[in-house]
Amino acid sequence: MRLSRVACAAACGILAVAIAAPTSARAVQTGPVTAIRAGRLVDPEAGTIANNQVILVQNGRFTAVGSNVAIPAGAQVIDLSGLTVLPGLVDAHNHLALTYKEEPERNIYYLTYVLDPTPLRAIQAASNGIQMLASGFTIVRDMGNNANYADVALRQAIEQGWLPGPTIIPSGLIIGGMGGQFSPTPEMAMDKKIVYPEYLEADTPDEIVKAVRQNALFGARVIKICVDCKPWGYTTDEIKLVIAEAAKANLKVEGHCQTVDGVRRAVEAGIWSIAHDRGMTDENHKAMARKGVWRAGTETPISLTGHTTQPRYANTVAMLKNAWENRVPLTYSTDADYYVPGKTRGEVAIEFIETWKAAGIPAVDILRAMTIGGYKVSQTETTRGPIKVGMFADLIAVPGNPLQSIDALRDVRFVLKNGMVFKKDGVMTPGAFFNGGPVNGWNVR
Ligand SMILES: [Zn+2]
């Protein structure tokens, strides 16, 4: 890494440092080639599967894909001829720096953030990220409730090359009206400012603008707002203000919505994505389909005991089916921010396929939500996700055929991230991901 230019604007006391982009410096070099022999290769977009494909990877990106691709002399060959290769999965709504649990907080996350400081939660996030990657999730949108920007720190750490993990799309703090999603006592709210940093309170237009700028400044890649967490919520015009301010930093906006009218206002304002399904109706779905609003329904399966109820689950299944029938843009999203004894965070996240199966959605469309829908809502579809030449080399492999049974995704045997092997033969082998310094650039945010 070298400093290409240092300019000092002494008059205003600002030191501006421009760093040579490390990627452009590397692009001219030619690194070793990895060749993957894929027994079967799934194209989720086309819904097809091709036999005996060769995938070449160099400098962390795909350089060739096909049945007639010659393997260059000296290439490292990875034999996945007995497996089905497919692009990495996306969880479009998780909170990696939050893990509430039965003991001691009885799954009440209001207590988790009192008990667990940001540094501990950041380390939990690093572990949860590794657990997600081991289950095949190569991208995670991390949608707030992550203490003091632990989600952004996780993204930085992974991008800089400190440790393995999914590509993180962090939201920073959730922006909401007074109280956020909490109901604190006056003394805790006013004297101790207990709502922050779980929520960034923004009640007036000025505060809304400032809150969006704060998140953008500190590294958010998407803006998350509480549309209707409190009766005062945000009006359509206030949501439009958030969207306009976020757009200046090239950020999209996700709205947490828990009421029918909240979804209606968010859609009317032109929001990018809506989290949760409590406010979903046939009418709202039709409007979302018309306007192309992404649905991150966070459909908790009944098999995760204690995290939904039978009536609630029945509604979740019915509304997911309704969304699919209305051709709403679908993402796979979990909100899986709790500890289920005996399961990793990745195993909890994959469990959500149960709800999608119960909704009668064909395996190919579940897989599309878990891949293409995820890349699009994450805005990575032109850089990361599809197994195509020029894209970052992320892929996974399973023994079964996920187009026949989506349950095949429960057994991820192989994971490639940025062209590096993270998991092989079902065992994590992440040695290549650990570095003693920020090998991809210290200023990656
Ligand atoms: Zn959430």
Side-chain angles (χ1 to χ4, degrees), residues 93-95 143-145 174 181 224 256 275-276 298 335 337:
H93 187 117
N94 205 310
H95 307 273
M143 303 307 297
N145 290 131
I174 299 173
Q181 286 181 273
K224 166 90 178 285
H256 164 111
H276 314 303
T298 65
D335 214 8
D337 47 9

Side-chain angles (χ1 to χ4, degrees), residues 372-413:
I372 304 158
Y375 311 145
K376 287 184 175 172
V377 79
S378 304
Q379 297 183 280
T380 71
E381 78 271 21
T382 59
T383 55
R384 185 183 296 281
I387 302 175
K388 290 180 181 165
V389 171
M391 307 288 267
F392 283 105
D394 297 352
L395 59 76
I396 65 175
V398 297
N401 179 350
L403 295 180
Q404 283 171 359
S405 167
I406 201 70
D407 280 300
L409 299 181
R410 288 179 179 277
D411 189 16
V412 172
R413 309 295 296 170

Side-chain angles (χ1 to χ4, degrees), residues 5-17:
R5 178 169 57 87
V6 179
C8 185
C12 54
I14 293 172
L15 179 69
V17 182

Side-chain angles (χ1 to χ4, degrees), residues 233-417:
Y234 286 136
T235 64
T236 302
D237 282 345
E238 286 166 339
I239 300 168
K240 282 182 179 172
L241 176 61
V242 176
I243 293 169
E245 193 60 31
K248 291 179 188 169
N250 204 21
L251 302 176
K252 301 292 189 187
V253 179
E254 169 149 310
H256 164 111
C257 295
Q258 58 194 50
T259 65
V260 174
D261 198 58
V263 174
R264 189 193 58 73
R265 296 198 303 272
V267 173
E268 191 175 63
I271 208 157
W272 177 247
S273 58
I274 294 179
H276 314 303
D277 66 358
R278 282 175 189 267
M280 299 295 176
T281 61
D282 182 66
E283 192 184 340
N284 276 342
H285 279 152
K286 285 183 163 60
M288 289 170 71
R290 221 169 27 242
K291 296 191 81 165
V293 178
W294 290 100
R295 187 186 196 271
T298 65
E299 299 86 0
T300 308
I302 194 74
S303 49
L304 293 177
T305 310
H307 293 283
T308 187
T309 61
Q310 191 62 56
R312 175 97 186 78
Y313 179 64
N315 189 63
T316 292
V317 169
M319 278 298 112
L320 182 55
K321 184 174 169 52
N322 181 275
W324 177 73
E325 288 170 348
N326 276 306
R327 297 177 176 270
V328 176
L330 297 181
T331 70
Y332 185 84
S333 60
T334 67
D335 214 8
D337 47 9
Y338 38 83
Y339 173 46
V340 177
K343 286 189 189 295
T344 67
R345 179 63 66 97
E347 287 166 349
V348 175
I350 206 72
E351 186 67 25
F352 283 62
I353 58 175
E354 291 303 315
T355 314
W356 290 71
K357 285 158 55 186
I361 298 176
V364 64
D365 282 341
I366 303 176
L367 188 60
R368 283 171 178 150
M370 299 176 87
T371 55
I372 304 158
Y375 311 145
K376 287 184 175 172
V377 79
S378 304
Q379 297 183 280
T380 71
E381 78 271 21
T382 59
T383 55
R384 185 183 296 281
I387 302 175
K388 290 180 181 165
V389 171
M391 307 288 267
F392 283 105
D394 297 352
L395 59 76
I396 65 175
V398 297
N401 179 350
L403 295 180
Q404 283 171 359
S405 167
I406 201 70
D407 280 300
L409 299 181
R410 288 179 179 277
D411 189 16
V412 172
R413 309 295 296 170
F414 181 87
V415 176
L416 191 78
K417 184 77 175 62

Side-chain angles (χ1 to χ4, degrees), residues 15-239:
L15 179 69
V17 182
I19 303 298
T23 46
S24 61
R26 267 206 311 276
V28 295
Q29 301 165 2
T30 52
V33 175
T34 302
I36 296 165
R37 290 186 184 280
R40 296 169 297 279
L41 177 62
V42 175
D43 179 343
E45 196 153 21
T48 55
I49 199 159
N51 292 325
N52 300 321
Q53 301 289 296
V54 172
I55 302 163
L56 298 185
V57 175
Q58 190 175 28
N59 296 327
R61 293 177 188 258
F62 296 119
T63 54
V65 183
S67 53
N68 294 318
V69 172
I71 296 179
Q76 182 208 355
V77 178
I78 297 173
D79 183 13
L80 303 180
S81 54
L83 298 177
T84 305
V85 172
L86 66 153
L89 310 177
V90 183
D91 184 345
H93 187 117
N94 205 310
H95 307 273
L96 296 182
L98 174 64
T99 308
Y100 58 86
K101 50 210 179 292
E102 184 61 29
E103 290 290 335
E105 67 262 46
R106 300 181 65 79
N107 284 319
I108 299 169
Y109 85 97
Y110 303 96
L111 298 180
T112 314
Y113 87 104
V114 174
L115 294 167
D116 289 358
T118 297
L120 176 60
R121 290 174 63 176
I123 293 168
Q124 291 176 8
S127 178
N128 283 330
I130 288 169
Q131 294 171 45
M132 292 293 284
L133 190 56
S135 285
F137 291 94
T138 52
I139 299 175
V140 174
R141 287 205 318 156
D142 211 333
M143 303 307 297
N145 290 131
N146 283 314
N148 212 346
Y149 294 98
D151 52 343
V152 172
L154 177 63
R155 177 188 168 90
Q156 285 180 272
I158 292 168
E159 298 300 317
Q160 290 180 1
W162 287 103
L163 80 169
T167 295
I168 304 293
I169 312 293
S171 75
L173 310 191
I174 299 173
I175 299 169
M178 183 175 278
Q181 286 181 273
F182 289 166
S183 302
T185 59
E187 50 271 44
M188 294 308 281
M190 308 312 286
D191 300 341
K192 302 293 184 188
K193 306 270 183 237
I194 201 167
V195 174
Y196 187 87
E198 289 308 303
Y199 299 91
L200 197 46
E201 291 173 313
D203 292 289
T204 65
D206 282 357
E207 289 170 351
I208 288 170
V209 166
K210 205 159 189 174
V212 172
R213 290 179 187 181
Q214 175 178 323
N215 275 341
L217 178 65
F218 295 147
R221 293 300 176 98
V222 61
I223 296 296
K224 166 90 178 285
I225 60 169
C226 263
V227 170
D228 53 5
C229 297
K230 290 284 185 285
W232 39 92
Y234 286 136
T235 64
T236 302
D237 282 345
E238 286 166 339
I239 300 168

